[in-house]
Amino acid sequence: MRYCSQCVLPDTRPNLFIMEDGICNACHSWFVKKDDIDWKQREKQFDELVKLVKARSTRWDCVIPVSGGKDSTWQVVKALEYGLKPLCVTWRTPVRNIIGQKNLDNLIQLGVDHIDFSINPKVEKALTLKTFKKAGSLAISMHLALFAIPLQTAINYKIPLVLWGENSGMEYGGSKEDLLSFKMTHEWLKTYGVTQGTTAHDWIGNDLSLKDLSPYIWPTDEEMQNAGVTASFLGWYFPWDPHETYRVAKENGFIASTDKPKTGLYDFADIDDEFIIAIHHWLKWYKFGFTRLWDNLSLEIRMERITRDEAIDIIKKKGEEYPKEAIDKFCSWSGISVEKFKEIAEYFRNHDIWNFEQGKWKIKNFLLDKKERM
């Protein structure tokens, strides 16, 4: 494993690579955002997009995919500031918690129409278990749904714009082309949609039919074009910063966790779901040798709020962050035992980066000193 000399991310992270200067492509993207982008010009471009959309729309101006979290609250606030009439669409997680419902209710009260889309729980459970067993991921079904449902809604209602938040290809590592793109395409979804390159069609089998998987099907670029729908990132037009989106969301009624972060560094992110997100990010430890915490800390380093050494100290203190409570809840929901969960997770441990030494699993060439390994 090689680590970025600027942040703390390793080259095992999907779509991230270390360049010749020892700095990762995600950090280079940040340098471009900070030094080369004329954000006032980008804001003018968004104003032009709004005018174009309003001239074309007959009912709603845009679809905004929302969970009720800080980012989607910020998206709604920004859209309303520009006079857009949004239809907000939510993929309803099967394990939405109280704080998640409160924040979603608050978002709706900002003054928007809203669809809360629930998928057949038998299909959802079957697909989630299938992706966990075959791909080591609880979140493939989630990401298929949260992208598909808003796009399908826009096509069905002929709403000209789907307004997403940040472009993860720009924020967490992607190609140079992604720095030049404001559109979400089908190829973008396969690359950055966190489905391991799969689509709903890849999960069809004797247990799940095409009709069963209807809510998970991403429209093609041709279908989007024929319906006159564009999917765009707000992060293309405005600087994206988790602290700034939280500040705006908080000013507009959003509430953060009263306990501690469910996963990673922030107590104001990933808080509406009881187990999918926490386990999804913890499984990256087995597969790639890092967790959500490393992503969050790398953003903080780029924003110059902490140093790389301070980030490493936090990693040392936090450790592996084994999500026991989330795993217990998932096992209860899915009907598998904790022992079976561990067996499946262990199958996806990446032996290219892990060694079993003296009765313990250790990462080769780990970022921390040998004496301070987790």
Side-chain angles (χ1 to χ4, degrees):
M1 290 172 69
R2 294 180 61 207
Y3 297 89
C4 175
S5 61
Q6 177 76 19
C7 68
V8 293
L9 289 176
D11 61 359
T12 51
R13 193 192 198 286
N15 301 310
L16 185 136
F17 55 88
I18 310 298
M19 303 181 76
E20 291 182 2
D21 58 3
I23 298 174
C24 72
N25 53 326
C27 283
H28 274 282
S29 296
W30 166 248
F31 296 149
V32 171
K33 284 175 59 182
K34 180 181 177 182
D35 299 328
D36 298 340
I37 294 178
D38 183 344
W39 290 108
K40 289 185 179 180
Q41 181 61 31
R42 290 281 181 92
E43 189 172 353
K44 290 180 181 178
Q45 292 176 12
F46 185 70
D47 193 50
E48 290 301 314
L49 176 65
V50 169
K51 291 177 183 177
L52 179 65
V53 165
K54 291 177 75 68
R56 291 177 51 206
S57 61
T58 57
R59 288 183 280 185
W60 295 279
D61 298 319
C62 63
V63 168
I64 303 181
V66 301
S67 65
K70 62 176 179 59
D71 292 342
S72 55
T73 302
W74 172 74
Q75 290 164 241
V76 168
V77 169
K78 187 65 70 175
L80 293 176
E81 284 177 354
Y82 277 81
L84 289 167
K85 181 176 177 59
L87 173 61
C88 293
V89 179
T90 301
W91 161 72
R92 184 183 179 92
T93 169
V95 283
R96 182 185 295 161
N97 54 29
I98 293 174
I99 193 171
Q101 188 63 58
K102 285 183 178 179
N103 281 325
L104 182 58
D105 290 342
N106 174 75
L107 181 150
I108 297 167
Q109 291 302 314
L110 294 176
V112 296
D113 296 321
H114 177 252
I115 295 173
D116 201 8
F117 194 109
S118 297
I119 295 175
N120 179 337
K122 294 180 180 179
V123 170
E124 193 155 46
K125 186 176 296 185
L127 180 58
T128 302
L129 273 171
K130 188 173 184 176
T131 60
F132 179 46
K133 292 175 181 177
K134 290 185 176 290
S137 174
L138 268 64
I140 289 178
S141 57
M142 175 183 76
H143 287 105
L144 286 172
L146 64 84
F147 287 122
I149 294 166
L151 294 174
Q152 290 182 19
T153 301
I155 289 175
N156 291 336
Y157 285 108
K158 292 184 170 54
I159 303 171
L161 178 65
V162 182
L163 207 51
W164 302 92
E166 85 275 20
N167 181 342
S168 58
M170 186 173 184
E171 303 298 338
Y172 299 104
S175 66
K176 291 183 180 179
E177 289 74 19
D178 294 309
L179 296 177
L180 304 175
S181 176
F182 63 90
K183 289 185 178 180
M184 175 187 285
T185 63
H186 199 271
E187 186 60 33
W188 185 97
L189 286 168
K190 287 192 71 175
T191 305
Y192 302 109
V194 199
T195 63
Q196 299 186 25
T198 68
T199 67
H201 292 82
D202 295 308
W203 299 102
I204 295 171
N206 294 331
D207 52 344
L208 293 168
S209 69
L210 179 61
K211 285 187 176 181
D212 289 333
L213 297 174
S214 293
Y216 299 101
I217 297 174
W218 296 336
T220 65
D221 292 342
E222 185 178 12
E223 288 171 329
M224 297 277 287
Q225 186 175 357
N226 290 342
V229 176
T230 297
S232 190
F233 301 101
L234 262 180
W236 166 265
Y237 302 101
F238 303 96
W240 183 81
D241 176 353
H243 285 272
E244 175 62 14
T245 58
Y246 172 53
R247 182 191 66 79
V248 172
K250 186 178 180 181
E251 288 179 354
N252 287 274
F254 173 85
I255 52 175
S257 173
T258 56
D259 188 9
K260 61 180 181 179
K262 279 190 173 290
T263 183
L265 184 66
Y266 307 130
D267 64 356
F268 50 75
D270 306 318
I271 60 175
D272 63 322
D273 171 270
E274 282 297 282
F275 57 72
I276 295 175
I277 294 295
I279 296 175
H280 164 65
H281 288 300
W282 174 75
L283 283 166
K284 293 192 295 189
W285 180 235
Y286 277 27
K287 293 188 281 188
F288 309 119
F290 76 100
T291 65
R292 181 66 155 179
L293 178 65
W294 300 54
D295 275 329
N296 295 158
L297 290 170
S298 294
L299 289 175
E300 293 300 300
I301 292 169
R302 293 177 201 132
M303 299 285 183
E304 299 180 349
R305 287 191 279 258
I306 62 172
T307 67
R308 189 173 189 269
D309 286 342
E310 288 171 335
I312 292 173
D313 285 339
I314 293 172
I315 292 171
K316 291 175 184 176
K317 292 175 183 176
K318 288 273 191 175
E320 180 188 347
E321 299 183 283
Y322 177 76
K324 182 182 183 304
E325 183 179 351
I327 289 171
D328 288 343
K329 289 180 178 179
F330 168 68
C331 291
S332 176
W333 174 78
S334 65
I336 66 172
S337 67
V338 174
E339 290 71 24
K340 184 63 177 178
F341 172 90
K342 292 179 179 179
E343 177 187 328
I344 295 170
E346 190 62 45
Y347 178 80
F348 292 95
R349 188 188 292 274
N350 184 351
H351 289 203
D352 287 337
I353 64 173
W354 288 91
N355 272 342
F356 195 69
E357 302 173 7
Q358 299 176 339
K360 292 183 179 180
W361 284 105
K362 297 180 180 180
I363 294 178
K364 308 171 189 178
N365 304 316
F366 193 53
L367 179 65
L368 307 184
D369 294 334
K370 290 183 180 179
K371 291 182 180 178
E372 295 167 324
R373 283 178 173 172
M374 289 179 264

